[in-house]
Amino acid sequence: WLKITAWEKGTVVQEVARLTKPRLSVEIGAYVGYSAMNLARTVRPHGGRVASLEVDPLHVTLVRNMVEYAGLSEVVDVWTGYSYDSIPHLLKKYGPRSVDLVFMDQKGTRFHSDLALMEELNLLSDRAVILADNVLKPGAPLYIWHLAKGSYHHCTAISVREFLLQSEDWMVMAFRDATKAAAATPPPQLHRLAFESDNFRKKSMFDGVAPSKQDWWKFSQGFVNGLEHCGCKPAIVGLHGRDNPKITPEDVARIFRNA
């Protein structure tokens, strides 16, 4: 399974970057560098930069070589280490309120804590846009709560097909609003959903216990119902409910216009 942010997901990343025109984009979870290069090609024309964080040193070596091969090394900085160790170094390197776009593709149950750290360090600009992948599968309920109930507006789930699969996933985004208060403590049900999300993620790594399509469908339904029960279900756009699903740049542009 090649876990890259490609296909319709790649379209979303590219369009969000094109419309945001970020000075600095921070990616957490580089994997093989596909999305870092996608971001770099999009932001280079207006002088933007990409800081890509990756915990696995072998993947870091691969990403740096891919970026160099693509001729994008002057645009992309690749950082090695855990996100909670690397994020403070971004403040030293790029300065406060320097981050206009955050794209997270690491462990979903860390999205909210990594984002909270960037808020605490005053890294986010007033116009920052936040985007994360795999928010439905395997799930990031605390991240959704953080956006929907915190200092952001227009929390939106972009419903897309998983790369090389026909199953639905969400990419969830929102726009920074520093005038709003931080999110209250999430209800216990969301912590339970986060625990179940991690459990499904771990099982999916091993063929013998990997969840079936039916298992994923049942989990996804429970996930969405749990969000609705807690009052943080985001608006959904994209393939959700379409007969012939295909995300388009116009779907993303409409989110920006509405915001």
Side-chain angles (χ1 to χ4, degrees):
W1 180 28
L2 190 58
K3 303 179 293 181
I4 61 175
T5 310
W7 219 7
E8 294 160 7
K9 290 187 173 186
T11 297
V12 173
V13 172
Q14 183 175 1
E15 285 303 302
V16 168
R18 185 182 68 83
L19 294 167
T20 304
K21 289 184 170 55
R23 297 163 299 165
L24 176 64
S25 303
V26 172
E27 174 194 44
I28 307 178
Y31 190 42
V32 297
Y34 185 91
S35 52
M37 291 185 290
N38 192 9
L39 284 167
R41 286 192 296 266
T42 306
V43 305
R44 181 165 59 177
H46 66 261
R49 294 195 62 80
V50 177
S52 183
L53 281 55
E54 172 57 48
V55 66
D56 190 324
L58 293 178
H59 285 187
V60 168
T61 301
L62 176 59
V63 173
R64 285 176 175 161
N65 279 275
M66 292 293 289
V67 167
E68 178 69 27
Y69 184 74
L72 295 167
S73 56
E74 81 283 1
V75 182
V76 182
D77 299 324
V78 185
W79 296 75
T80 313
Y82 288 101
S83 53
Y84 52 79
D85 289 327
S86 298
I87 288 172
H89 291 286
L90 301 181
L91 181 62
K92 299 176 185 177
K93 173 73 173 180
Y94 305 107
R97 303 173 75 174
S98 56
V99 178
D100 295 327
L101 175 61
V102 178
F103 174 56
M104 293 185 285
D105 195 15
Q106 74 279 33
K107 182 181 178 181
T109 49
R110 281 209 55 85
F111 290 168
H112 66 289
S113 53
D114 286 341
L115 185 56
L117 178 57
M118 284 188 272
E119 295 167 3
E120 180 184 340
L121 295 173
N122 196 27
L123 272 166
L124 301 179
S125 73
D126 290 340
R127 68 180 188 93
V129 177
I130 314 300
L131 175 68
D133 192 11
N134 301 316
V135 179
L136 179 63
K137 289 180 58 181
L142 297 176
Y143 165 72
I144 294 178
W145 176 269
H146 191 90
L147 296 185
K149 302 296 184 177
S151 53
Y152 300 89
H153 64 91
H154 285 83
C155 178
T156 305
I158 306 173
S159 174
V160 292
R161 289 178 293 178
E162 183 61 77
F163 178 57
L164 297 180
L165 300 173
Q166 293 299 314
S167 59
E168 180 187 12
D169 193 13
W170 288 359
M171 303 181 79
V172 174
M173 64 178 295
F175 300 82
R176 178 76 166 147
D177 183 357
T179 65
K180 296 176 66 176
T185 302
Q189 184 176 352
L190 286 186
H191 286 283
R192 178 66 189 180
L193 274 178
F195 174 82
E196 293 172 355
S197 296
D198 271 345
N199 190 38
F200 265 74
R201 182 184 63 85
K202 291 174 183 176
K203 284 184 176 180
S204 68
M205 299 177 182
F206 304 98
D207 290 339
V209 294
S212 65
K213 289 183 178 180
Q214 182 65 23
D215 292 333
W216 276 118
W217 182 87
K218 184 178 179 181
F219 171 77
S220 297
Q221 293 302 305
F223 184 91
V224 176
N225 291 339
L227 296 177
E228 189 165 23
H229 178 78
C230 295
C232 62
K233 180 183 175 182
I236 305 173
V237 301
L239 72 82
H240 193 81
R242 291 184 180 177
D243 293 330
N244 184 26
K246 184 178 180 182
I247 197 75
T248 67
E250 175 57 24
D251 292 316
V252 180
R254 191 177 300 112
I255 296 171
F256 275 76
R257 288 198 299 269
N258 291 340

